[in-house]
Amino acid sequence: MRFLIVDDDFDSRRLMQKILYPYGYCDVAVDGEEAVEAFKRSLTSNEPYDLICLDIIMPNVDGQQALREIREIETEHDVPLEKRTKTIMISALDDTKELHDAFFLGEATSYIVKPIRKKTLLDEIRNLGIQIQERKA
């Protein structure tokens, strides 16, 4: 299982990494620009991410733009719709416009409002149909 955690806030990245690490390998990025580059590398190395946790408000390239670019890359690589990387948009804002943009413009799979809670995140991942189980030490 491969995860990409994208957030400009160190504590948020660290928390998500701590939650997800027992279930798979975690890459991290501090903004949307790094996220898009990491995503490109994952496809070209034939090791795509199973899940991207993507903060919306970040410097340089925000989460909404990064997700649109990721979807364009998937289209360029002929990734079928059913195989596209699941993406949970994460924000401190419980904002209807951001929610609309995430789902309809960026084709997000899910949306979670901060603060991130372990049970909420893991339940949402399972609801997306991603089979997670703790790795053996």
Side-chain angles (χ1 to χ4, degrees):
M1 188 71 45
R2 288 179 44 87
F3 304 105
L4 176 59
I5 299 165
V6 188
D7 201 309
D8 62 317
D9 180 71
F10 175 81
D11 291 329
S12 293
R13 282 193 315 270
R14 188 168 166 227
L15 174 62
M16 285 186 279
Q17 191 172 16
K18 184 177 178 181
I19 292 169
L20 295 175
Y21 177 77
Y23 302 96
Y25 182 79
C26 298
D27 282 337
V28 296
V30 299
D31 62 30
E33 190 174 335
E34 282 187 13
V36 171
E37 288 306 312
F39 185 79
K40 284 179 188 175
R41 282 192 307 273
S42 77
L43 281 184
T44 57
S45 66
N46 203 29
E47 296 179 306
Y49 292 107
D50 298 289
L51 176 72
I52 300 172
C53 294
L54 185 59
D55 187 28
I56 291 178
I57 299 173
M58 295 182 291
N60 300 327
V61 176
D62 69 16
Q64 299 284 19
Q65 180 61 37
L67 181 57
R68 286 191 292 274
E69 290 182 34
I70 286 168
R71 295 303 185 217
E72 287 173 16
I73 293 165
E74 288 176 322
T75 299
E76 291 167 6
H77 283 82
D78 296 320
V79 176
L81 288 176
E82 67 277 2
K83 296 216 179 217
R84 288 188 170 193
T85 302
K86 306 280 192 235
T87 306
I88 298 176
M89 300 301 284
I90 297 172
S91 180
L93 304 173
D94 191 4
D95 181 316
T96 319
K97 181 189 178 321
E98 293 292 347
L99 182 62
H100 172 272
D101 290 353
F103 282 106
F104 295 103
L105 299 179
E107 301 175 41
T109 319
S110 186
Y111 188 95
I112 293 177
V113 177
K114 290 180 182 179
I116 299 297
R117 306 234 186 278
K118 179 178 180 176
K119 181 178 180 347
T120 303
L121 181 57
L122 294 179
D123 286 349
E124 194 59 36
I125 292 168
R126 289 181 182 107
N127 287 340
L128 294 175
I130 298 173
Q131 303 297 317
I132 55 172
Q133 76 181 56
E134 287 194 43
R135 298 181 291 174
K136 293 184 173 36

